[in-house]
Amino acid sequence: MKHILFLASGNSRRFGENKLLHVLDGKPLYRHGLDMLAALVRERDDCTLTAVSRYAAVRAGAQALGVRAVDSPESEQGLSYTIRAGLDALDLQDGDFIVFVVADQPYLTKETVARLLDAAKPGVRMARVVFGERRGNPNLFCAALAPELYALRGDEGGRELLRGADCMTVQAGSERELYDVDTAQDLNG
């Protein structure tokens, strides 16, 4: 099984307000990715979707779509807390995979995420989405790496693990898919 964790608990420090609730093209920023993932999961029988957020509005939005939502009250302390809250919600089995998708990439497509999910095969330890040489999100890890993911601290994500030689790459359909919103000015670009 492939377990998608939609990470929607960021602090939005550079944005100045909760960017996930900021309206972009008629809906909150987080809904672009969540709507796409919910549609993808409905088309497949090999994956689950869990939204991980410290924000009640995001969790309610996920539940309204029929997506499992998990509270992550300690996420203000950093990304590693959101990752652990998501992992705690999963019933990982040998052979499973975990896919981390961040909530501030509004242009990520179903096709790219599907290619990443399809890369999850026996013998694959991890994979990341890239466009050319540019590395980005989302990322995939085999369940055997859960102890290393649990060991992350502070605002540290799985980036160090992904630098290993055994990390596959999956090409995004365009560079725009890797674009993430960090500041209000990013919404104008």
Side-chain angles (χ1 to χ4, degrees), residues 25-89:
D25 297 333
K27 61 183 172 181
L29 176 63
Y30 82 92
R31 285 296 298 264
H32 291 268
L34 188 59
D35 289 351
M36 176 272 295
L37 292 171
L40 176 64
V41 169
R42 283 192 295 272
E43 295 171 2
R44 299 177 67 114
D45 62 0
D46 65 343
C47 54
T48 67
L49 174 58
T50 302
V52 185
S53 184
R54 65 187 175 116
Y55 303 112
V58 173
R59 292 191 311 274
Q63 291 168 334
L65 287 171
V67 174
R68 180 179 183 202
V70 173
D71 190 12
S72 181
E74 297 182 276
S75 288
E76 188 173 348
Q77 299 176 57
L79 178 59
S80 66
Y81 291 85
T82 309
I83 290 170
R84 281 196 291 281
L87 291 172
D88 285 346

Side-chain angles (χ1 to χ4, degrees), residues 128-184:
R128 75 179 322 158
V129 172
V130 299
F131 185 75
E133 296 297 314
R134 182 176 174 203
R135 297 176 290 206
N137 291 303
N139 302 302
L140 173 142
F141 298 89
C142 69
L145 291 172
E148 285 91 331
L149 295 167
Y150 269 110
L152 299 172
R153 295 290 173 246
D155 208 31
E156 178 183 24
R159 184 175 296 148
E160 288 303 316
L161 295 173
L162 292 164
R163 290 193 174 130
D166 56 351
C167 180
M168 288 182 55
T169 58
V170 172
Q171 286 291 323
S174 71
E175 186 171 17
R176 187 174 194 216
E177 289 189 65
L178 301 184
Y179 181 78
D180 65 336
V181 175
D182 289 323
T183 68

